[in-house]
Amino acid sequence: MKKTWLVTGGAGFIGGNFIYHILSAHDDVDVVCVDSLTYAGNLSTLAGAMNDPRFAFVRADIRDCDAMRGVFAEHKPTAVVNFAAESHVDRSIKDPGIFISTNVTGTQVLMDCCLEFGTERFHQVSTDEVYGDLPLDRPDLFFTEDTPLDPSSPYSASKAAADLLALAYRRTYGLNVTISRCSNNYGPYQFPEKLIPLTIANALEGRRLPVYGKGENVRDWLYVEDHCRAIDAVIDRGKPGEVYNIGGHNEMRNIDIVKKICNLLGKPHDLIEFVADRKGHDLRYAIDPTKAKRELGWEPKTKFVDGIKSTVEWYLSHESWWREIISGEYKEYYRKMYGGKS
Ligand code: NAD
Ligand code: DAU
């Protein structure tokens, strides 16, 4: 039977990579992308899919019930994969309201449509940030699916709320939901407000490289294609109502990531500038992906040393993609966020 997957937020970083993954990995799946094209959404990210007869793009807001009902009525998706979100922690600290609205209400609207139109599966793309953080001096501790939710930022609190809502729709209405909680992604098409692409773009422009606090915070980095394969595996083999943690045991301190990028680009470390810390800054994220390996047979394939090299090469060979982004509205955000310092 023909499958149609509704992918929300596909003009963003991970959703865009996921659409390319699905179109090349599954010739029996049609993809409909819904994206409202916020500052973080770029149609140029999807340029390579636009002429594919199995792909359709609809510009719409996931919070708009009438628009979503129209999309479900027309395309009759067999599965929904919800990437659409406000995703940047720093923006959530400055302006939390839109995070609650998009990340929580948007998820509710999509799940209501799934119930109304009999969609077989709703997959919520969540984050390891819902678990809060781990101490720096306990490398033996990891997030499992049973770790209590303890989000620190308005962003992660909104993602945790959406997860709880999805599980409630499972219990109350029997909706076939799954949730994946992934660690930090990196790779092509990431908006240059996030650490890795921001560092690459700034280094190429000879600008200061802002590092929060002392740069000792730790993130568990996963190449985006590995995340896409994991979501694909959850949709294929995941059990309804289950949560799957996705991560690659690749923990690194921020300062080491920034130095590594400088080295790859042949730029001096004295571009690095330690700036004021993020409010409520999570210390360490570290995923235990045992369940995903055991139940889905999923494992990361890309080693960081290779993934970061190809990511830097991608930004070098796609300058027009990121230069266009940093020339617009982003300039004003950057000025407000980092002032004249960086
Ligand atoms: P992103 O910010 O790059 O992209 C988000 C996309 O959603 C954009 O295209 C934007 O236009 C769209 N969007 C925003 N609000 C919308 C709305 N109301 N209606 C329709 N579209 C809307 O985000 P990303 O980094 O690709 O993250 C995608 C998802 O993965 C998010 O749910 C995020 O919480 C989750 N996640 C991200 C990471 C990461 O490292 N980036 C890790 C784990 C989980
Ligand atoms: O863990 C998954 C999460 O990873 C996702 O849910 C989020 O959507 C995604 O944005 C990401 O959140 P982080 O806050 O970890 O990512 P970010 O790239 O913003 O920051 C990574 C680390 O680098 C963090 O400790 C803050 C630090 N940082 C970030 C920026 C933008 C800096 O030191 N300087 C910077 O300029």
Side-chain angles (χ1 to χ4, degrees):
M1 196 188 101
K2 184 173 143 281
K3 298 175 198 161
T4 301
W5 292 7
L6 177 60
V7 177
T8 70
F13 165 45
I14 309 175
N17 278 283
F18 183 74
I19 286 171
Y20 288 122
H21 167 82
I22 294 304
L23 290 174
S24 76
H26 300 282
D27 52 18
D28 59 340
V29 178
D30 286 358
V31 175
V32 179
C33 172
V34 163
D35 197 300
S36 62
L37 301 180
T38 67
Y39 80 93
N42 289 289
L43 262 192
S44 59
T45 295
L46 292 172
M50 286 299 179
N51 293 327
D52 190 319
R54 292 191 291 127
F55 177 74
F57 179 81
V58 181
R59 183 173 189 176
D61 192 315
I62 59 165
R63 295 167 295 176
D64 181 340
C65 301
D66 290 341
M68 287 309 104
R69 292 185 76 244
V71 170
F72 276 71
E74 182 180 348
H75 294 282
K76 301 179 181 56
T78 49
V80 172
V81 192
N82 185 28
F83 291 92
E86 290 292 334
S87 70
H88 192 35
V89 173
D90 292 324
R91 288 184 188 251
S92 84
I93 294 166
K94 287 208 180 311
D95 182 15
I98 181 83
F99 284 73
I100 309 305
S101 169
T102 292
N103 299 358
V104 185
T105 304
T107 303
Q108 171 238 315
V109 167
L110 290 169
M111 291 193 297
D112 283 343
C113 286
C114 287
L115 290 174
E116 181 178 345
F117 291 88
T119 308
E120 290 159 27
R121 167 65 67 90
F122 178 81
H123 182 73
Q124 175 68 0
V125 180
S126 187
T127 168
D128 60 358
E129 297 201 13
V130 297
Y131 299 120
D133 64 353
L134 297 164
L136 291 175
D137 60 357
R138 289 291 308 273
D140 55 314
L141 295 180
F142 297 92
F143 297 136
T144 72
E145 289 78 0
D146 296 324
T147 301
L149 301 188
D150 186 18
S152 315
S153 70
Y155 161 70
S156 51
S158 70
K159 294 295 290 185
D163 284 13
L164 291 177
L165 199 59
L167 294 173
Y169 268 58
R170 167 74 188 153
R171 165 115 186 213
T172 305
Y173 307 113
L175 184 64
N176 187 355
V177 303
T178 43
I179 297 173
S180 51
R181 294 182 180 144
C182 189
S183 58
N184 284 61
N185 284 213
Y186 68 101
Y189 299 112
Q190 187 167 29
F191 194 92
E193 66 186 350
K194 306 283 170 66
L195 180 68
I196 287 181
L198 181 142
T199 301
I200 297 171
N202 277 17
L204 288 174
E205 297 214 305
R207 296 172 71 127
R208 315 294 298 166
L209 309 177
V211 172
Y212 299 164
K214 294 181 181 159
E216 287 170 351
N217 303 60
V218 168
R219 297 292 183 265
D220 176 2
W221 294 94
L222 185 73
Y223 193 61
V224 63
E225 175 64 15
D226 281 325
H227 186 193
C228 295
R229 286 193 304 103
I231 294 170
D232 193 359
V234 174
I235 293 168
D236 186 45
R237 305 185 281 288
K239 291 194 202 105
E242 291 291 317
V243 173
Y244 295 89
N245 280 358
I246 311 297
H249 281 307
N250 180 52
E251 292 175 51
M252 293 182 74
R253 297 189 311 163
N254 295 337
I255 186 67
D256 297 327
I257 295 267
V258 173
K259 284 182 178 167
K260 173 92 189 151
I261 293 169
C262 287
N263 296 347
L264 283 168
L265 289 170
K267 300 286 180 183
H269 290 190
D270 60 14
L271 281 178
I272 294 170
E273 181 174 51
F274 293 97
V275 299
D277 211 349
R278 175 183 278 174
K279 288 191 175 92
H281 198 172
D282 281 336
L283 294 171
R284 171 176 168 250
Y285 303 147
I287 281 278
D288 175 354
T290 307
K291 181 176 175 182
K293 183 175 179 187
R294 190 182 60 238
E295 294 190 13
L296 309 172
W298 174 86
E299 275 187 293
K301 280 187 180 163
T302 306
K303 291 196 187 97
F304 186 78
V305 64
D306 301 322
I308 192 67
K309 196 163 168 281
S310 56
T311 300
V312 166
E313 280 161 6
W314 188 88
Y315 280 84
L316 282 169
S317 60
H318 290 77
E319 284 211 9
S320 60
W321 182 88
W322 58 266
R323 281 197 187 281
E324 198 174 313
I325 290 170
I326 65 172
S327 67
E329 185 193 329
Y330 177 69
K331 250 189 181 157
E332 182 54 16
Y333 162 80
Y334 196 91
R335 197 188 56 73
K336 281 194 192 142
M337 179 69 205
Y338 299 97
K341 286 203 233 148
S342 303

